[in-house]
């Protein structure tokens, strides 16, 4: 029969010290893993705060159990433990709650774009891309929901703006085609030959394009009267012989007024180059504009001097139609043309409704 030798105190102490070292090593590893998880979670929270994404969880009663960011104008502490019935605005609440109830009942993910009135008195409408996923426990039972909400308001606004631009583009294209068709018909009616038609029609298209270049540069908000006049008289201004004087305050016209005034100015330039002051070296043309005396619009004057003697007008050509009839019909302008023997004088009163209040 053998006899067991009792362990000495030193052996017991050594074993305890070894266990302590193992526990310390395990605690150190767990602390390292915990710090790593904290760092990763901090990066995750930082990324969510810097984005338009809000992640949150809810129980089966749709009470918030966690949330990554403040939302709906509430801090995180004001959201936790609160249900959708208490936090969501009335306008979008029913649609969102119905989606979440369907996800809880079916166990299937749901996704929809929803709008919510936010801000003071619900004045701001925000759009959210909402993804809803059932949340399950270890046994596979649905215990709530995990949701991700992405603010897509800017995208929705851009889409609406794009639709508006497309409608506006269609409208302007139709108007432009109508102007070109009318220009082609009137040019053909007054042109004596095919070559004459091609020359005149091409020049009028270029005049129209010059006005459109100004409008495009200003994002189609309007065009400066000064730049509009200079674009049509550019060939004579670049000569640098002082034939042309342009003077007036900085004012801008709305797009339709700029387009039609540009065509009228082109016709006056062509007429002057053929028969008026721009047809001779000593001829002078001054174009001035200012606020009309009644303060309700702009008075623009075209005055020619030192050119050939002006003959009385026997019939109206295409240029006269564009200057007088077209301006009156399209922008409600009042046009007076005085065929003074000393030089043509044209006064155009542009109504205030065609002037931009601010550029």
């Amino acid at each position: 029969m053998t006899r067991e030798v009792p362990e000495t105190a030193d052996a017991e102490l050594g074993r305890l010290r070894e266990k302590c070292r193992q526990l310390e090593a395990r605690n150190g590893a767990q602390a390292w893993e915990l710090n790593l998880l904290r760092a990763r979670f901090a990066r995750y929270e930082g990324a969510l705060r810097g984005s338009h994404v809000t992640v949150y969880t809810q129980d089966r009663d749709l009470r918030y159990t966690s949330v990554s960011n403040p939302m709906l104008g509430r801090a995180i502490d004001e959201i936790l433990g609160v249900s959708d019935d208490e936090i969501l605005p009335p306008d979008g609440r029913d649609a969102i709650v119905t989606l979440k109830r369907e996800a809880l009942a079916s166990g299937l993910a749901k996704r929809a774009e929803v709008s919510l009135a936010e801000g003071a008195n619900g004045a701001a409408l925000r759009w959210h891309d909402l993804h809803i996923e059932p949340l399950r426990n270890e046994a596979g039972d649905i215990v709530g929901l995990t949701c991700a909400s992405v603010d897509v308001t800017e995208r929705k606004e851009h889409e609406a703006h794009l639709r508006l631009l497309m409608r506006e583009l269609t409208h302007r294209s139709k108007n432009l085609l109508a102007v070109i068709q009318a220009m082609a018909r009137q040019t053909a009616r007054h042109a004596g030959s095919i070559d004459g038609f091609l020359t005149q029609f091409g020049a009028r298209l270029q005049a129209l394009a010059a006005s459109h270049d100004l409008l495009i540069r200003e994002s189609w908000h309007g065009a400066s009267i000064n730049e509009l006049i200079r674009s049509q008289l550019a060939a004579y201004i670049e000569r640098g012989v002082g034939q042309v004087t342009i003077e007036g305050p900085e004012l801008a016209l709305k797009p339709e007024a700029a387009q039609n005034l540009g065509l009228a100015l082109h016709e006056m330039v062509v007429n002057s180059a053929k028969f008026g002051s721009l047809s001779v070296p000593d001829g002078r043309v001054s174009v001035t504009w200012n606020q009309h005396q009644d303060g309700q619009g702009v008075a623009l004057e075209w005055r020619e001097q030192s050119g050939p003697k002006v003959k009385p007008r026997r019939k109206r050509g295409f240029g006269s139609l564009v200057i007088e009839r077209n301006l009156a019909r399209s922008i409600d302008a009042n046009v007076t043309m005085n065929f003074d023997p000393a030089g043509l004088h044209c006064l155009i009163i542009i109504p205030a409704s065609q002037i931009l209040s601010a550029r």
Side-chain angles (χ1 to χ4, degrees):
M1 182 173 182
T2 60
R3 183 180 179 183
E4 295 183 0
V5 180
E7 294 181 351
T8 64
D10 290 341
E12 179 67 19
L13 182 61
R15 187 168 68 252
L16 289 175
R17 286 176 177 173
E18 180 61 27
K19 286 184 178 180
C20 285
R21 282 195 296 269
Q22 291 175 357
L23 288 174
E24 287 176 354
R26 187 182 302 171
N27 287 337
Q30 290 177 344
W32 183 84
E33 290 179 355
L34 181 60
N35 289 333
L36 181 62
L37 287 174
R38 284 174 177 170
R40 288 176 178 174
F41 187 70
R43 288 197 296 269
Y44 162 77
E45 282 191 319
L48 286 178
R49 283 194 297 269
S51 68
H52 294 291
V53 182
T54 299
V55 177
Y56 57 88
T57 58
Q58 293 176 281
D59 60 20
R60 291 191 64 88
D61 294 325
L62 300 185
R63 294 188 179 277
Y64 290 84
T65 54
S66 70
V67 60
S68 63
N69 297 329
M71 66 179 191
L72 301 173
R74 295 171 182 255
I76 293 177
D77 292 341
E78 298 175 308
I79 299 172
L80 294 176
V82 178
S83 70
D84 279 339
D85 290 336
E86 299 172 83
I87 196 173
L88 292 180
D91 290 345
R93 179 193 304 149
D94 291 344
I96 296 174
V97 169
T98 299
L99 280 173
K100 291 180 178 179
R101 292 293 181 195
E102 290 176 358
L104 287 171
S106 66
L108 300 176
K110 299 290 181 180
R111 183 174 181 178
E113 288 186 353
V114 295
S115 60
L116 292 173
E118 301 179 18
N121 301 320
L125 185 67
R126 307 293 299 181
W127 281 90
H128 300 269
D129 185 357
L130 182 61
H131 184 77
I132 306 166
E133 193 82 34
L135 179 62
R136 300 177 184 273
N137 60 14
E138 293 180 359
D141 300 323
I142 297 176
V143 295
L145 298 171
T146 299
C147 303
S149 177
V150 184
D151 191 323
V152 293
T153 305
E154 289 186 8
R155 194 201 77 199
K156 299 291 284 189
E157 289 175 348
H158 290 161
E159 290 174 354
H161 183 58
L162 181 59
R163 288 193 295 270
L164 176 64
L165 289 178
M166 293 302 296
R167 289 196 297 269
E168 184 68 16
L169 177 61
T170 300
H171 174 70
R172 288 176 182 171
S173 298
K174 289 179 179 179
N175 285 346
L176 181 59
L177 287 174
V179 170
I180 293 174
Q181 286 176 338
M183 195 172 6
R185 285 195 300 268
Q186 293 294 336
T187 304
R189 185 178 300 173
H190 295 87
S193 64
I194 293 178
D195 289 341
F197 166 80
L198 293 175
T199 300
Q200 294 172 29
F201 185 64
R204 285 161 182 157
L205 282 180
Q206 289 179 358
L208 187 63
S211 300
H212 276 237
D213 286 343
L214 293 177
L215 291 171
I216 291 171
R217 195 177 69 192
E218 296 294 335
S219 300
W220 210 267
H221 294 303
S224 161
I225 294 178
N226 181 42
E227 293 178 347
L228 189 65
I229 295 170
R230 290 181 178 277
S231 69
Q232 300 299 334
L233 282 161
Y236 298 94
I237 296 173
E238 291 170 0
R239 290 179 181 179
V241 295
Q243 269 193 294
V244 178
T245 301
I246 299 173
E247 186 177 357
E250 185 57 40
L251 294 171
L253 298 177
K254 292 182 178 179
E256 187 175 1
Q259 176 180 285
N260 287 282
L261 181 60
L263 288 174
L265 289 168
H266 168 75
E267 296 303 326
M268 286 191 280
V269 171
V270 170
N271 181 74
S272 182
K274 287 184 177 179
F275 313 110
S277 297
L278 294 179
S279 66
V280 295
D282 295 331
R284 297 292 181 267
V285 172
S286 67
V287 187
T288 59
W289 66 96
N290 216 322
Q291 293 284 346
H292 194 235
Q293 57 187 5
D294 61 2
Q296 298 299 313
V298 172
L300 186 147
E301 289 189 82
W302 172 286
R303 191 181 295 274
E304 299 186 25
Q305 294 177 322
S306 303
K309 184 178 179 180
V310 177
K311 297 179 181 180
R313 182 175 59 176
R314 296 181 180 179
K315 64 177 181 178
R316 286 186 177 182
F318 177 76
S320 298
L321 291 174
V322 171
I323 297 168
E324 295 176 287
R325 185 182 301 175
N326 187 56
L327 283 178
R329 184 182 68 251
S330 61
I331 64 172
D332 200 26
N334 187 1
V335 182
T336 303
M337 295 189 71
N338 180 15
F339 290 87
D340 190 308
L344 173 67
H345 175 221
C346 178
L347 174 63
I348 303 172
I349 307 298
I350 304 171
S353 60
Q354 301 297 329
I355 309 299
L356 288 178
S357 57
R359 292 200 66 189

